[in-house]
């Protein structure tokens, strides 16, 4: 009888251990609901921030030949800077727009991450165009940091070259290819300011 009681106690203890171990990852419904509510609130806050940035940029850049596009969690300002053939120097005509962009980000959206995307027309080799597009993106990035006062960790540069699906005027180069020789700025929201 004592032996049987020992087995019962051991079985009961084992069942309790298994039950308690299985419950260690259990989340209370109230904790789960609170976490979901917080995530939804953060999503709404992020969308409001994106809408605010888009509205400010549309108002500020209405005077320029720029297109503002909102995508999932990001805003793209297309044609922020154009470049002459085989050049990566920012034109004086584009500096005011870059200054305005930097001011909006610095004053109101300092947690945003900016990607300067450089492009080229198809007049050179693919390798040359990628390098040239990278130099253009870096020129805009450096301008935003040095002149615009943005944080260096906040702005990055990527060169895409002559990517066909991103050309404004397909296959155009020379004078007609000016719209393809550009830098676009993409703003990713990372949190509220």
């Amino acid at each position: 009888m004592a032996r049987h009681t020992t087995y019962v106690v051991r079985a009961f203890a084992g069942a309790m251990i298994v039950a308690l171990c299985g419950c260690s990852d259990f989340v209370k419904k109230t904790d789960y609901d609170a976490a979901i509510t917080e995530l939804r609130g953060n999503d709404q806050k992020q969308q409001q921030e994106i809408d605010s940035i888009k509205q400010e940029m549309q108002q500020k850049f209405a005077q320029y030949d720029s297109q503002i596009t909102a995508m999932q969690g990001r805003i793209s300002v297309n044609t922020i800077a154009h470049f002459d053939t085989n050049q990566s120097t920012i034109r004086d005509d584009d500096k005011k727009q870059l200054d305005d962009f930097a001011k909006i980000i610095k004053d109101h959206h300092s947690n945003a991450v900016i990607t300067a995307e450089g492009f080229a027309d198809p007049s050179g080799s693919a390798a040359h165009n990628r390098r040239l597009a990278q130099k253009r993106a870096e020129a805009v990035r450096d301008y935003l940091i040095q002149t615009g006062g943005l944080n260096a960790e906040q702005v990055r540069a990527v060169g895409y070259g002559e990517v066909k699906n991103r050309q404004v005027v397909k296959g155009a180069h020379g004078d007609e290819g000016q719209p393809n020789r550009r830098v676009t700025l993409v703003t990713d929201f990372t949190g509220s300011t």
Side-chain angles (χ1 to χ4, degrees):
M1 176 86 169
R3 192 174 204 194
H4 181 1
T5 304
T6 304
Y7 286 128
V8 170
V9 170
R10 284 185 184 167
F12 179 73
M16 289 302 294
I17 290 172
V18 168
L20 290 175
C21 288
C23 292
S24 68
D25 291 333
F26 178 73
V27 176
K28 294 180 184 175
K29 181 170 177 16
T30 55
D31 293 342
Y32 174 79
D33 290 343
I36 294 299
T37 300
E38 182 181 350
L39 289 172
R40 286 184 180 144
N42 288 342
D43 284 348
Q44 282 181 325
K45 198 173 184 182
Q46 180 180 9
Q47 188 59 50
Q48 289 170 346
E49 187 76 15
I50 289 168
D51 293 343
S52 173
I53 292 172
K54 182 180 178 191
Q55 183 179 15
E56 282 183 70
M57 288 185 184
Q58 284 176 328
Q59 289 171 351
K60 193 66 159 179
F61 297 137
Q63 63 185 331
Y64 302 110
D65 182 26
S66 292
Q67 181 181 6
I68 313 293
T69 308
M71 302 170 280
Q72 288 183 310
R74 55 182 29 189
I75 295 172
S76 174
V77 181
N78 205 357
T79 64
I80 193 111
H82 288 99
F83 296 85
D84 294 327
T85 301
N86 209 29
Q87 297 297 311
S88 61
T89 303
I90 298 172
R91 300 179 318 166
D92 289 337
D93 295 347
D94 295 325
K95 290 180 179 178
K96 174 74 171 113
Q97 188 174 1
L98 289 169
D99 293 340
D100 290 344
F101 177 86
K103 183 167 177 37
I104 290 171
I105 297 299
K106 189 169 79 172
D107 291 350
H108 305 290
H109 310 286
S110 61
N111 288 339
V113 174
I114 313 303
T115 303
E117 297 181 338
F119 298 93
D121 67 28
S123 60
S125 71
H128 173 74
N129 287 338
R130 275 192 303 279
R131 285 190 302 274
L132 183 58
Q134 183 67 34
K135 285 181 184 178
R136 290 171 176 167
E138 289 169 358
V140 169
R141 178 201 60 204
D142 294 347
Y143 185 88
L144 291 173
I145 293 167
Q146 295 164 3
T147 305
L150 296 183
N151 186 330
E153 287 80 41
Q154 174 178 21
V155 188
R156 52 190 172 195
V158 178
Y160 288 101
E162 61 184 75
V163 182
K164 289 181 180 20
N165 66 345
R166 300 284 300 269
Q167 290 180 11
V168 177
V169 181
K170 303 289 184 209
H173 52 84
D175 290 341
E176 295 79 32
Q178 179 81 39
N180 293 333
R181 298 187 302 272
R182 72 194 190 284
V183 168
T184 295
L185 294 176
V186 176
T187 305
D188 288 297
F189 178 80
T190 60
S192 81
T193 54

